[in-house]
Amino acid sequence: FWQLFVRPAGTGRWRLATPPGVASNGGLVVASLGAGSVVAGFRPSQELSFSPLATTHDNGAAWTPGLLDAALADVPDALAAAPGSGRLLALLTSGGAELSGPGGTAWTRLATRRALAASAAGGRCGLDRLTAAAFSSSGVPLLAASCAHPGTAGVFAYAGGMWHQVGPALP
């Protein structure tokens, strides 16, 4: 079973803060909402097809349950939180990504691996699989991917209703 520990600023001490009542044997990922607030996503195990979520705004003293009605991918950055808005971005075991509304509710499909690979941006990289989710400092959803084409960084931003390759140029 995985455990979540917190170390509030100024205390110098670690404290167990795993949300109660959630099986963590599938693993967990955490995304920062800022200032002592985090959302923990639990990887499914034992044939579950969804991922429980839990949000805290007080360094793990109290938790609010949530749900992603899909399975979080088995990568360290499978869950990201947008600065200030409370929107979440999740990578799924299906190879796609879903975006939530504020507070981690109202999830919608943002991308599939197949659709992103077929896009002009994904084609330039020879997109293989999605490996990380993030948000830019202005709240733009970002996805990272492994690329088959040498010298290509697979970093994509979703803006204007389409994906754009924004990874740095590699030598």
Side-chain angles (χ1 to χ4, degrees), residues 1 23-27 43-50:
F1 289 91
S24 60
N25 51 323
R43 294 235 339 100
S45 64
Q46 300 177 357
E47 300 188 39
L48 290 178
S49 59
F50 61 90

Side-chain angles (χ1 to χ4, degrees), residues 33-138:
L33 297 167
S37 297
V38 297
V39 59
F42 295 85
R43 294 235 339 100
S45 64
Q46 300 177 357
E47 300 188 39
L48 290 178
S49 59
F50 61 90
S51 289
L53 302 174
T55 304
T56 182
H57 298 290
D58 56 9
N59 289 307
W63 293 90
T64 302
L67 178 68
L68 170 60
D69 194 15
L72 279 168
D74 191 13
V75 294
D77 292 317
L79 188 63
S85 74
R87 291 184 314 151
L88 302 174
L89 179 59
L91 286 184
L92 310 177
T93 57
S94 66
E98 290 195 6
L99 181 67
S100 81
T105 60
W107 290 89
T108 59
R109 175 162 291 152
L110 184 62
T112 65
R113 188 211 64 79
R114 180 175 288 174
L116 186 52
S119 72
R124 284 190 293 278
C125 112
L127 190 140
D128 179 36
R129 67 183 186 94
L130 298 177
T131 58
F135 284 94
S136 72
S137 59
S138 62

Side-chain angles (χ1 to χ4, degrees), residues 133-166:
F135 284 94
S136 72
S137 59
S138 62
V140 173
L142 303 171
L143 293 175
S146 57
C147 295
H149 297 154
T152 306
V155 181
F156 304 91
Y158 188 73
M162 53 191 302
W163 289 98
H164 307 276
Q165 193 171 8
V166 296

